[in-house]
């Protein structure tokens, strides 16, 4: 056994999931919940230790393509019923999600309103005076109207991941934190085992949920995924006394998002549409650098002038894993049996992890999921069918 790792415990499994972020935890949870059998979840570090644990964990529904909208709608329902559907209290705070629309994005805003309503979601179009009433600390220069999702909010990403894992243990989920997968064995075109730092686990089902390292895992099978990584930073500011209430706010005009973080802090980051801040996943400085701090503070203080006098509480940086259309890659690979991809969440993978995990478990069990994951299939780029959205390229809408 390698020093410092935990024993694998079992040498055979009905499924092995590689990666203990929200995506791996979700896939493993829903497979076990469905009675798939013994599901081993390998995590080389700690659960939610990479992108997931650093997520702003905003749960909202304003997506402009059908599959993402349906998944986000399902995610909202899951977080609203987290004890039954996600294994426990995920710290979901339904404080509302407010999108600020300026003149330039008027048409995109109308599209969002129309498509959310078409999908049965309750959204409100707020005149500027109503936005001011809802979120008194905001300066509303340049805002034409607001779009409010009253049921949306944010959750606790680490608690969500841990709940998913803990709740599924009685159904057969075996988490192995501190144990890295090192290879996948094939017999012909069938996955037959996962090699780990601590021995080999025989299995016929492998889920690649390795997040930033999913390309490396795919390469073990000769697969070449086109992935990029962006270093994503958030900063924290003390909430001034008498500041007033705020929902989650997204401002695509100034390109900033912000939300309360508990009772006494505000968290903020650069908003969509985003530039990529290229980074090597194996060499990502976890600190907030001064230049990025300034880039976030500029639009943040423009929207919330009172924060410019507030105490800066630091910040951090983590990783986005980005596919060529900024949407996840999910599903089987043609020509390979028993291997499933599940990665590339960009900036929306936290909320989408649970509903995709649920649907992928159906696919793995040979059933038809309620939400068809085919638009996320790995081959969509070769087929010339990447996903599109209302905000244009390099975005999260
Ligand atoms: C700053 C920031 C803010 C964000 N805000 C939001 C938001 O508001 N809303 C939202 O929905 N999304 C948000 N996201 C995006 C979301 O957090 C990610 O899309 C999501 O967490 C990705 O989950 P994952 O499980 O794919 O990856 P990860 O959480 O990175 O998990 C992958 C795991 O795989 C493990 N692993 C890799 N290789 C191996 C191996 N060989 N063996 C074993 N384990 C391995 C890693 O150690 C890691 O723990 C944000 C992301 C960041 C960085």
């Amino acid at each position: 056994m390698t020093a410092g790792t935990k024993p694998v415990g079992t040498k055979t499994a009905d499924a092995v999931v590689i990666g203990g972020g929200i995506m791996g935890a979700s896939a493993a949870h829903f497979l076990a919940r469905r009675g798939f059998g013994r599901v081993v979840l390998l995590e080389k570090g700690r659960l939610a230790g990479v992108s997931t644990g650093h997520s702003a964990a905003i749960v909202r529904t304003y997506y402009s393509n059908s599959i993402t909208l349906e998944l986000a709608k399902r995610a909202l329902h899951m977080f609203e019923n987290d004890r039954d559907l996600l294994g426990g209290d995920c710290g979901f705070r339904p404080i509302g999600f407010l999108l600020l629309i300026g003149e330039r994005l008027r048409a995109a805003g109308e599209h969002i309103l129309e498509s959310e309503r078409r999908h049965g979601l309750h959204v409100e179009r707020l005149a500027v005076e109503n936005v001011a009433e809802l979120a008194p600390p905001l300066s509303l220069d340049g805002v034409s109207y607001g779009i409010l999702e009253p049921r949306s909010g944010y959750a606790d990403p680490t608690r969500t991941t841990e709940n998913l894992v803990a709740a599924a243990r009685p159904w057969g989920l075996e988490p192995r934190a501190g144990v890295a997968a090192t290879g996948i064995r094939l017999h012909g075109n069938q996955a037959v085992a996962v090699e780990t730092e601590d021995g080999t686990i025989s299995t016929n089902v492998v889920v690649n949920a390795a997040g930033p390292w999913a390309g490396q895992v795919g390469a073990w099978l000769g697969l070449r995924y086109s992935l990029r990584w962006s270093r994503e930073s958030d900063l924290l500011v003390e909430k001034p006394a008498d500041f007033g209430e705020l929902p989650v706010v997204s401002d695509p005009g100034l390109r900033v998002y912000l939300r309360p973080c508990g009772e006494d802090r505000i968290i903020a980051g650069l908003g969509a549409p985003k530039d990529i801040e290229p980074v090597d996943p194996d060499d990502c400085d976890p600190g907030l650098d001064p230049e990025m701090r300034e880039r976030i503070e500029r639009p943040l203080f423009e929207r919330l002038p009172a924060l410019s006098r507030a105490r800066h509480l630091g910040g951090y940086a983590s990783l986005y894993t980005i596919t060529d259309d900024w949407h996840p890659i999910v599903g089987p690979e043609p020509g390979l049996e028993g291997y499933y991809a599940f990665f590339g969440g960009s900036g929306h993978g936290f909320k989408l992890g649970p509903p995709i995990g649920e649907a992928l478990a159906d696919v793995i069990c040979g059933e038809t999921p309620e939400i068809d994951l085919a638009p996320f299939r790995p081959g969509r780029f070769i087929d010339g069918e990447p996903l599109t959205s209302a905000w244009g390229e390099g975005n999260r809408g």
Side-chain angles (χ1 to χ4, degrees):
M1 194 171 84
T2 314
T5 61
K6 292 185 188 153
V8 163
T10 181
K11 298 297 180 194
T12 62
D14 296 290
V16 174
V17 178
I18 302 171
I22 189 68
M23 295 195 165
S26 299
H29 174 95
F30 288 104
L31 274 174
R33 183 186 275 254
R34 293 196 51 123
F36 198 72
R38 185 178 283 172
V39 180
V40 173
L41 176 63
L42 295 171
E43 167 49 54
K44 66 179 177 179
R46 62 186 163 78
L47 291 176
V50 188
S51 313
T52 299
H54 296 99
S55 178
I58 295 167
V59 178
R60 46 91 171 171
T61 53
Y62 88 90
Y63 288 98
S64 62
N65 59 60
S66 212
I67 180 173
T68 316
L69 219 152
E70 278 302 322
L71 287 164
K73 181 177 163 184
R74 176 69 184 157
L76 183 56
H77 176 75
M78 290 170 126
F79 280 97
E80 286 175 334
N81 297 281
D82 50 6
R83 286 173 182 79
D84 293 334
L85 300 179
L86 299 177
D89 175 358
C90 296
F92 179 55
R93 306 270 306 266
I95 57 173
F97 176 89
L98 175 66
L99 186 61
L100 299 176
I101 301 291
E103 207 44 49
R104 191 173 59 81
L105 293 171
R106 209 172 246 283
E110 296 304 332
H111 178 83
I112 297 294
L113 272 167
E114 188 274 322
S115 62
E116 288 219 52
R117 285 180 179 146
R118 190 157 27 87
H119 284 261
L121 285 155
H122 174 70
V123 274
E124 294 169 22
R125 189 185 203 284
L126 299 185
V128 175
E129 356 11 317
N130 301 120
V131 175
E133 258 169 52
L134 175 79
L138 286 178
S139 152
L140 295 173
D141 288 351
V143 173
S144 305
Y145 66 94
I147 296 177
L148 177 67
E149 297 174 2
R151 288 165 55 198
S152 295
Y154 69 94
D156 179 328
T158 301
R159 210 196 296 175
T160 305
T161 308
E162 289 173 350
N163 283 345
L164 286 165
V165 172
R169 290 181 81 138
W171 305 321
L173 194 162
E174 291 181 22
R176 297 285 175 250
V179 178
T182 54
I184 299 173
R185 267 193 219 161
L186 294 176
H187 182 75
N189 65 353
Q190 168 70 56
V192 290
V194 173
E195 288 159 0
T196 81
E197 290 176 326
D198 187 37
T200 301
I201 307 173
S202 300
T203 186
N204 285 326
V205 171
V206 182
V207 178
N208 174 1
W213 295 273
Q216 201 175 76
V217 170
W220 297 337
L221 299 172
L223 300 166
R224 296 277 175 267
Y225 294 114
S226 173
L227 296 174
R228 290 174 292 171
W229 303 273
S230 185
R231 186 166 175 272
E232 288 299 319
S233 304
D234 276 343
L235 66 75
L236 288 156
V237 191
E238 191 172 54
K239 193 167 150 186
D242 306 324
F243 187 64
E245 292 307 309
L246 272 184
V248 179
V249 178
S250 175
D251 183 341
L254 292 183
R255 294 191 177 193
V256 69
Y257 70 85
L258 56 109
R259 68 159 172 85
C261 183
E263 296 310 314
D264 50 3
R265 292 178 299 167
I266 302 285
I267 189 171
L270 292 180
K274 294 227 183 209
D275 297 326
I276 291 186
E277 315 286 333
V279 65
D280 173 353
D282 290 312
D283 188 22
C284 178
D285 178 348
L288 174 70
D289 59 63
E291 190 244 323
M292 182 54 75
R293 173 179 167 182
E294 211 234 304
R295 279 174 64 194
I296 300 173
E297 283 182 345
R298 215 178 306 130
L300 178 67
F301 296 167
E302 199 172 325
R303 260 316 152 227
L304 286 168
L307 287 189
S308 60
R309 298 179 297 280
R311 193 152 67 97
H312 173 70
L313 298 175
Y316 50 84
S318 190
L319 295 160
Y320 273 10
T321 303
I322 302 168
T323 66
D324 287 350
D325 61 8
W326 287 67
H327 289 273
I329 290 179
V330 189
E333 282 284 351
L336 277 179
E337 295 297 324
Y339 166 87
Y340 299 86
F342 186 8
F343 51 80
S346 300
H348 42 209
F350 170 70
K351 72 184 74 59
L352 299 183
I356 298 178
E358 181 184 50
L360 182 61
D362 284 341
V363 172
I364 294 172
C365 291
E367 289 175 17
T368 306
E370 262 179 47
I371 302 175
D372 180 10
L373 296 177
F376 288 158
R377 70 194 180 283
R380 67 181 183 272
F381 304 104
I382 290 172
D383 297 342
E385 292 176 6
L387 284 152
T388 55
S389 47
W391 301 109
E393 205 195 321
N395 60 66
R396 302 178 296 167

